[in-house]
Amino acid sequence: MAATRRSYSKASKLPCRPWLIVALGQLVLLLLLMILVAAFFLDTSYWFERVAITWGGRPIKGTKEQKVFRRPSLVESLCHFEPSDKNSASNLNNFGKWPWLSKNLSLPQNDFSIQLQRRNLQPPRNRDLFPELPPDHLIFVLYVHNRPQYLRLVVDGLSKVRGIEEVLLIVSYDGYFEDMISIVEAIRFCQVKQIFSPYSPHLFNGSFPGLSPGDCQNREDAVLKNCEGNADQYGNYRTPHIVSLKHHWWWMMNTVWDGLEETRNYYDHIVFIEEDHYLFPNAYRNIQILSALKACKCPDCYAANLAPADVKSQGEPGHYLVAEKIGNVGYAFNRTVWRKIHTHAREFCYFDDYNWDITMWSAVYPQWGNSIYTLRGPQASAIHFGKCGLHQGQRKGDPPCLDNGGNLPSVPGASQVPNIDIKWPVKRFSIKGYGAGFKGWGGWGDDRDRKLCLYFASMYHTDTIERVMI
């Protein structure tokens, strides 16, 4: 009986096993089918829209242009996009990480500069109009001085950029100028955050970083007046409104990347423009594509640019991407690159040149090697239109100093829509101009400027340095 019972038990179980296998197999197939269907509807429609924009110049009938390029992660996946540096940037308060930090710097401050620091904490404007930004949005930073007629043109151009409503626009002021502020506060096409450099020489009359009564102003002063200050390599002493160019850029970079609540945990690309950079309608979509493609198309590219390095050029017709010297018109880089820049703060702060871009080309980029490129399209998506110096300012009622006889060039038809093909090859241009070995144009020899510059590099990274209490 026992044997019979055992054989009966085996026989009774046999029909159940293939049934279970078939059921599990059907379940697995169903799950795979659901994944494929979801992938098709989520990705393919986006892919077709992008193809239509990239090659055909217009979206497929029935699609919405504002949704195109919302997902650069698709391009990133094709490129095996560079990894995030969240882990490497996690321990920012480690003082020993930056041995050049100054512990005993007496910071310049006055009541107005402290008020501006408080104002920098205010949230962006227009959040009621644009309550949520896409998770893969880019940030634009516009840094300005006091040329309101320039700024009006720049803002007009930004208002016509496709996808601008997805952007957080940060405007950084080198000083406090009501005409400039009123232009920015009239913006309604995107979120806008305003920040003010609280250490601008324009805020300090009679004391550093402005002009102090005891400062040396020419070569003879040091001997005759026993004045304060260090001469540059050419024997010239600091000019506050000139050195503010480099101070503002460096303060802005440190504040935008490491000091703002809105950007402190942001790891993607930030696009930087000045008050005389006019953006074409395709600028945002193009920089989204370029910033995603550079990891696989150009491993030596640390940045992406909206315009050629030669500010007089609007590019060249061709079906290729360009890798060349990093330019200063519409440039973008991510937090990984910012960390590399930040580790060379001493080189930046001690290089005797008041220009931030020449300092980068001559003192910082050479630290990384000989081939430091940016990626751009063949044709410009932004132009430099000003010829008045950045810190000359502009008197009320005066016409703006513009190139091309005072008129902005018309926007080319190809610049109305994204015009970059992700399949294009990369053409490398030789890197020329300023580089390692250049000693600088001077203007940056005063030890006080160098120490203040180093403080900007450390102000968000350690609690051991004296801070202005807000």
Side-chain angles (χ1 to χ4, degrees), residues 325-340:
K325 171 185 175 181
I326 298 176
N328 57 15
V329 177
Y331 55 96
F333 54 85
N334 60 19
R335 185 172 292 274
T336 302
V337 175
W338 165 243
R339 288 285 166 244
K340 290 178 69 69

Side-chain angles (χ1 to χ4, degrees), residues 14-53:
L14 283 175
C16 297
R17 292 179 178 175
W19 178 83
L20 287 174
I21 295 173
V22 171
L24 289 173
Q26 290 176 338
L27 180 61
V28 170
L29 289 174
L30 181 60
L31 289 174
L32 289 174
L33 181 61
M34 291 174 64
I35 292 172
L36 290 173
V37 170
F40 179 86
F41 284 106
L42 288 176
D43 284 334
T44 308
S45 61
Y46 166 79
W47 175 263
F48 286 147
E49 284 185 21
R50 186 176 64 184
V51 170
I53 288 289

Side-chain angles (χ1 to χ4, degrees), residues 391-405:
H391 288 74
Q392 291 178 10
Q394 185 178 317
R395 291 178 296 182
K396 191 172 183 178
D398 286 353
C401 288
L402 306 177
D403 295 331
N404 303 311

Side-chain angles (χ1 to χ4, degrees), residues 288-306:
Q288 281 184 304
I289 302 171
L290 290 169
S291 61
L293 285 177
K294 69 182 180 66
C296 66
K297 288 285 189 177
C298 182
D300 293 330
C301 289
Y302 286 77
N305 264 93
L306 288 171

Side-chain angles (χ1 to χ4, degrees), residues 20-165:
L20 287 174
I21 295 173
V22 171
L24 289 173
Q26 290 176 338
L27 180 61
V28 170
L29 289 174
L30 181 60
L31 289 174
L32 289 174
L33 181 61
M34 291 174 64
I35 292 172
L36 290 173
V37 170
F40 179 86
F41 284 106
L42 288 176
D43 284 334
T44 308
S45 61
Y46 166 79
W47 175 263
F48 286 147
E49 284 185 21
R50 186 176 64 184
V51 170
I53 288 289
T54 305
W55 289 299
R58 63 179 66 87
I60 298 174
K61 183 178 180 181
T63 63
K64 296 181 179 180
E65 189 277 333
Q66 63 267 25
K67 291 186 178 179
V68 181
F69 303 112
R70 278 280 179 91
R71 301 180 60 204
S73 56
L74 181 60
V75 180
E76 293 165 8
S77 65
L78 294 174
C79 290
H80 305 289
F81 194 61
E82 57 203 72
S84 168
D85 68 341
K86 291 184 180 181
N87 293 331
S88 64
S90 60
N91 187 17
L92 299 181
N93 290 323
N94 181 4
F95 183 81
K97 193 173 181 179
W98 296 289
W100 38 258
L101 298 186
S102 173
K103 296 183 180 180
N104 300 308
L105 177 65
S106 179
L107 295 178
Q109 59 179 307
N110 56 37
D111 290 342
F112 190 43
S113 68
I114 293 174
Q115 291 177 22
L116 292 181
Q117 289 185 77
R118 294 194 183 104
R119 186 164 177 172
N120 290 346
L121 300 177
Q122 294 180 0
R125 302 168 64 88
N126 300 334
R127 278 187 168 177
D128 56 328
L129 302 176
F130 308 96
E132 293 186 7
L133 301 179
D136 53 3
H137 72 281
L138 299 184
I139 294 174
F140 276 44
V141 175
L142 169 61
Y143 48 106
V144 304
H145 176 57
N146 187 26
R147 295 181 290 183
Q149 296 192 48
Y150 276 27
L151 182 59
R152 289 190 186 94
L153 294 173
V154 172
V155 169
D156 177 70
L158 283 170
S159 70
K160 300 172 183 176
V161 171
R162 294 174 182 265
I164 193 65
E165 70 278 358

Side-chain angles (χ1 to χ4, degrees), residues 333-352:
F333 54 85
N334 60 19
R335 185 172 292 274
T336 302
V337 175
W338 165 243
R339 288 285 166 244
K340 290 178 69 69
I341 295 172
H342 188 264
T343 58
H344 295 289
R346 187 173 185 86
E347 288 84 351
F348 182 90
C349 292
Y350 273 78
F351 186 72
D352 189 10

Side-chain angles (χ1 to χ4, degrees), residues 196-240:
F196 303 83
S197 173
Y199 308 110
S200 170
H202 307 284
L203 304 178
F204 295 84
N205 295 319
S207 63
F208 178 83
L211 183 64
S212 303
D215 283 355
C216 299
Q217 298 186 48
N218 55 59
R219 301 186 184 194
E220 291 75 25
D221 284 352
V223 177
L224 300 177
K225 300 181 180 180
N226 192 29
C227 54
E228 184 177 6
N230 309 96
D232 65 13
Q233 59 187 310
Y234 304 107
N236 301 311
Y237 291 90
R238 74 186 299 267
T239 303

